[in-house]
């Protein structure tokens, strides 16, 4: 649990931190073309997947750490992969199966998602995109709240793992944390896998 001071309003707000975090991510994206392969290897060797068959992986947008090397590794290890679907403002994400031949369509914000013909699935592990992270498991997201709502819902229903997936250079010493912000269980980067809780 984060200390109470972390929940107090920050005079700068999250916007300034998001702008800085985007710059960090874009720079890391330019400098580290092989980071996604290293992160995928760290995920496969460190994240406890025994008994966890279905893994939700985000469709990468912009400078987000690419997830396709991870998808390939997961499928080679016999895991079911699913991708998120945005169902509207203030609603949690749902997930549909992805197997490499799945028909895709542009969803909200132009992010590709499996077509409605793809079977729905409920993940055991959720790979979460982020702008910034702290080693205590706090995550700075884009501000839409989609993953916070989704993780809150899933955690009420089952024992899931939330794994932040990012460049190591996205680590930040400070950003505001609010009570509704869902913490991560792990953070995986191209350098390491950090177990939080």
């Amino acid at each position: 649990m984060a200390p109470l001071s972390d929940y107090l309003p920050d005079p700068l707000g999250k916007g300034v931190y998001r702008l800085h975090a985007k710059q960090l991510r874009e720079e890391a994206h330019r400098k580290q073309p092989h980071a996604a392969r290293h992160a995928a290897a760290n995920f496969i060797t460190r994240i406890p997947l025994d008994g966890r068959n279905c893994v939700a992986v985000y469709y990468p947008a912009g400078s987000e750490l690419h997830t396709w090397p991870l998808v390939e590794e997961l499928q080679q290890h016999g895991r079911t992969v699913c991708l998120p679907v945005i169902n509207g403002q203030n609603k949690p994400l749902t997930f549909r199966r992805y197997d490499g031949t799945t028909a895709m369509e542009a969803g909200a914000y132009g992010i590709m998602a499996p077509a409605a013909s793809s079977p729905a699935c409920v993940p055991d592990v959720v790979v979460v995109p982020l702008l910034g992270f702290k080693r205590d498991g706090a995550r700075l997201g884009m501000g839409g709240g989609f993953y916070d709502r989704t993780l809150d819902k899933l955690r009420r229903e089952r024992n899931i793992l939330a794994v932040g997936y990012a460049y190591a250079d996205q680590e930040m010493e400070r950003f505001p944390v609010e009570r509704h912000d869902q913490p991560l269980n792990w953070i995986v980067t191209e350098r390491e896998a950090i177990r939080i809780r």
Side-chain angles (χ1 to χ4, degrees):
M1 179 68 73
L4 180 60
S5 60
D6 280 358
Y7 294 112
L8 297 177
D10 190 289
L12 298 177
K14 285 187 177 179
V16 171
Y17 292 96
R18 286 193 177 104
L19 180 60
H20 177 60
K22 284 180 184 179
Q23 292 169 345
L24 290 175
R25 189 176 71 184
E26 288 169 6
E27 185 174 337
H29 181 71
R30 285 194 303 271
K31 289 183 175 180
Q32 301 181 60
H34 304 295
R37 287 271 172 215
H38 296 301
N42 288 336
F43 185 102
I44 291 297
T45 58
R46 291 294 309 283
I47 301 302
L49 294 178
D50 290 346
R52 300 179 186 274
N53 181 58
C54 184
V55 181
V57 176
Y58 62 87
Y59 191 98
S63 59
E64 289 176 341
L65 182 60
H66 215 290
T67 51
W68 294 138
L70 177 58
V71 169
E72 292 172 4
E73 290 279 358
L74 288 167
Q75 291 174 339
Q76 287 174 11
H77 284 78
R79 307 298 174 188
T80 298
V81 173
C82 57
L83 297 176
V85 178
I86 296 175
N87 300 292
Q89 290 288 343
N90 301 317
K91 293 184 178 180
L93 302 166
T94 54
F95 300 90
R96 295 181 188 147
R97 185 172 296 191
Y98 174 83
D99 66 7
T101 62
T102 301
M104 303 288 285
E105 59 188 19
Y109 307 103
I111 299 173
M112 299 300 290
S117 57
S118 182
C121 56
V122 180
D124 304 303
V125 179
V126 180
V127 178
V128 184
L130 51 84
L131 283 174
F133 68 87
K134 294 193 288 188
R135 285 184 173 254
D136 64 358
R139 166 185 171 268
L140 180 64
M142 290 292 291
F146 291 104
Y147 277 92
D148 289 317
R149 285 189 292 274
T150 303
L151 293 176
D152 179 61
K153 178 179 184 293
L154 289 173
R155 283 170 166 158
R156 292 173 191 270
E157 299 171 350
R158 60 199 297 153
N159 179 23
I160 64 158
L161 288 181
V163 181
Y165 206 63
Y167 296 96
D169 288 348
Q170 290 177 253
E171 182 176 353
M172 300 174 71
E173 291 186 6
R174 176 179 171 79
F175 53 79
V177 179
E178 299 175 84
R179 292 191 184 278
H180 66 266
D181 291 337
Q182 290 287 312
L184 301 168
N185 300 107
W186 286 80
I187 299 163
V188 172
T189 75
E190 76 280 10
R191 295 181 195 160
E192 61 185 330
I194 306 163
R195 183 175 184 174
I196 313 296
R197 53 179 64 81

